[in-house]
């Protein structure tokens, strides 16, 4: 399939996991892809790199300008950058709260605000935000992370209403446990890694942790014209966790 022929996409959080698999998927389906990462260059064949601190307003303005200057347009924005930290309310410092809100929520606001004029100029397109199942149902011991991801879910709906008149669709994917560096690092930090993983698996009716490419396939669908009549949706990709 060449669903993204003549389409230009900017994808954040691009170095590993879901972001990397999304880059490959859109590239392999004919898209021109710009991979954004805080540390700059990412060595992916046929993909351009953009240095971007997603929490910085001026960084976003520069990154969007670079993409449009190089490719002439922007059709797709995938807001994938994020951070995961645990903590119940009494254990969560104000610094941690602000860090997670800035990284997981404010970054998407800044990215959409910077990208929308370029996508509108291209005649419309798609924004896909990467949220979390925690944004649909709260998770114990993750008060700041849950708040940030719930914000992504709600903001996605509001953006969709605001931008529908411009032919810009806005949707979100909400993964549960996915075998990414974020989840692997969290499991490795547990006192008993096997026991911690067993707890995670028990929460998923399918009995396994998901793969990054399984989330990337849903992102690609939402970014493509196959989802041309979908906007404002937050789609769980969670092995059934949201229905347990």
């Amino acid at each position: 399939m060449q669903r993204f022929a003549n389409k230009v996409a900017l994808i954040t959080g691009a170095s590993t996991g879901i972001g990397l698999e999304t880059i490959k998927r859109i590239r392999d389906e004919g898209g021109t892809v710009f991979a954004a990462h805080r540390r700059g260059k990412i060595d992916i064949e046929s993909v351009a790199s953009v240095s971007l601190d997603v929490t910085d307003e001026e960084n976003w303005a520069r990154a969007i300008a670079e993409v449009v200057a190089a490719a002439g347009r922007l059709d797709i924005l995938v807001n994938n950058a994020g951070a995961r930290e645990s903590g119940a309310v009494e254990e969560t410092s104000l610094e941690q709260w602000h860090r997670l809100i800035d990284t997981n929520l404010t970054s998407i606001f800044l990215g959409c605000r910077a990208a929308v004029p370029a996508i509108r100029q291209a005649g419309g397109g798609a924004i896909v935000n990467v949220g979390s199942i925690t944004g649909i149902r709260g998770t114990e011991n993750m008060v700041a992370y849950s708040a940030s991801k719930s914000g992504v879910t709600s903001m996605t709906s509001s953006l969709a209403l605001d931008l529908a008149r411009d032919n810009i669709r806005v949707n979100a994917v909400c993964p549960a446990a996915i075998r990414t560096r974020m989840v692997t690092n969290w499991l490795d930090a547990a006192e008993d890694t096997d026991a911690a993983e067993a707890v995670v698996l028990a929460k998923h009716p399918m009995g396994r942790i998901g793969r990054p490419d399984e989330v990337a396939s849903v992102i690609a669908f939402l970014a493509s014209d196959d989802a041309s009549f979908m906007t404002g949706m937050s789609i769980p990709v969670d092995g059934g966790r949201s229905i347990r």
Side-chain angles (χ1 to χ4, degrees), residues 18 175-181 183-184 209-215 237:
I18 293 168
I178 305 297
R179 191 74 69 177
T180 62
R181 183 171 58 190
V183 170
T184 299
I209 291 176
R211 304 188 312 270
D213 66 285
E214 292 176 307
V215 183
V237 186

Side-chain angles (χ1 to χ4, degrees), residues 11 15 28 41 46 54 66 74-75 172 188 197 208 226 238 240 242:
I11 301 170
S15 62
D28 292 349
K41 184 171 176 57
S46 302
V54 296
E66 285 183 13
L74 178 64
D75 303 278
D188 289 345
E197 183 161 340
R208 65 178 177 87
D226 286 345
D238 66 354
S242 59

